[in-house]
Amino acid sequence: MTRKQIIILLVILLIAAFGLVFLLHSLLMRHPSEHSVSLNLSSEEPVAYSGASLSESIEAETRARPIPSPSEDREYESVYATITIPTDKKTKTFDIYQDIEEATLDRHIGHLPSSVAPGEGGLCVLMGHRDRELKILKHTKVGDVFTLQKNGCLFRYKVTRFDIHDNDEPLSFPAVNGSCLAIVTCYPFDFLGSAPQRIIIYAEAP
């Protein structure tokens, strides 16, 4: 075999090796490992409330969520209430549970136990995640009517205003007259990572 033939053979083998590497890479990209874990960077940690006063600070921070074990999976005894949220895009009804613990807000909207029940005089406070049920609020506008249902009774609240605060500010609510609703979630809705602000949507019973 001449020197020229040896060089040609080596070039052919090199091209074949590059082709094989490219083929293997393409197959791996189409079929990722079953053990790979995708982190949802848009999820914020559930809001925690640790005091009797509504003016105490509620902090929210982003971190990767561990996959819960079966023993951590929570079964709920009953739904506290439901809320129907209409927008120009769609109308959906969500379950509300009577606490704002992590296991609740990870799946549902929570009712702040120290606030009043739907339909009662005073402020009823609901909390949830902007990238879960409450992401629908990005389409809410002043004048929309939320409908809460509890124990077979319907209570309607008309949206009156939006308040936006930095997350490092203490969360507080103004004194209200009559029956009012406040829904709290992080803001902006489309922010990637830990949202720097929170939005409070206020609505009043007619």
Side-chain angles (χ1 to χ4, degrees):
M1 182 178 293
T2 66
R3 182 176 179 180
K4 183 177 180 180
Q5 289 175 328
I6 294 174
I7 293 174
I8 293 174
L9 180 60
L10 289 175
V11 170
I12 293 174
L13 291 175
L14 186 61
I15 293 174
F18 274 113
L20 181 61
V21 170
F22 179 78
L23 179 61
L24 290 175
H25 177 72
S26 299
L27 291 174
L28 289 174
M29 291 298 292
R30 291 183 181 181
H31 303 284
S33 170
E34 295 180 357
H35 299 290
S36 62
V37 178
S38 177
L39 299 181
N40 183 1
L41 296 181
S42 66
S43 298
E44 68 267 19
E45 196 64 16
V47 172
Y49 182 77
S50 59
S53 169
L54 291 178
S55 64
E56 292 196 31
S57 175
I58 297 178
E59 299 295 337
E61 63 179 13
T62 299
R63 63 169 177 264
R65 293 182 180 276
I67 300 174
S69 65
S71 62
E72 295 173 335
D73 194 15
R74 181 173 179 178
E75 294 294 336
Y76 297 94
E77 294 180 359
S78 61
V79 175
Y80 176 71
T82 62
I83 182 171
T84 300
I85 301 177
T87 70
D88 293 337
K89 302 292 183 179
K90 56 186 174 181
T91 297
K92 293 191 69 176
T93 298
F94 304 98
D95 292 337
I96 301 171
Y97 286 89
Q98 176 64 318
D99 63 67
I100 55 169
E101 296 177 2
E102 179 177 353
T104 299
L105 298 186
D106 193 49
R107 302 179 184 179
H108 304 287
I109 298 170
H111 170 255
L112 184 64
S114 59
S115 68
V116 304
E120 294 183 358
L123 189 64
C124 175
V125 180
L126 304 180
M127 297 179 179
H129 287 309
R130 64 185 166 93
D131 58 351
R132 292 178 177 78
E133 281 83 352
L134 292 186
K135 64 185 177 182
I136 193 175
L137 293 178
K138 68 187 292 185
H139 304 297
T140 295
K141 62 184 183 301
V142 171
D144 286 347
V145 177
F146 299 149
T147 302
L148 271 70
Q149 180 173 347
K150 186 176 186 297
N151 298 330
C153 298
L154 295 178
F155 307 100
R156 291 180 174 84
Y157 298 87
K158 187 176 182 179
V159 176
T160 56
R161 75 175 196 270
F162 303 82
D163 284 357
I164 298 174
H165 305 276
D166 291 337
N167 264 339
D168 57 1
E169 295 179 11
L171 180 64
S172 61
F173 301 93
V176 298
N177 295 318
S179 181
C180 299
L181 174 70
I183 304 179
V184 184
T185 191
C186 287
Y187 185 83
F189 289 99
D190 296 324
F191 193 88
L192 295 179
S194 180
Q197 298 172 308
R198 67 170 70 91
I199 185 171
I200 306 175
I201 298 179
Y202 288 97
E204 298 178 0

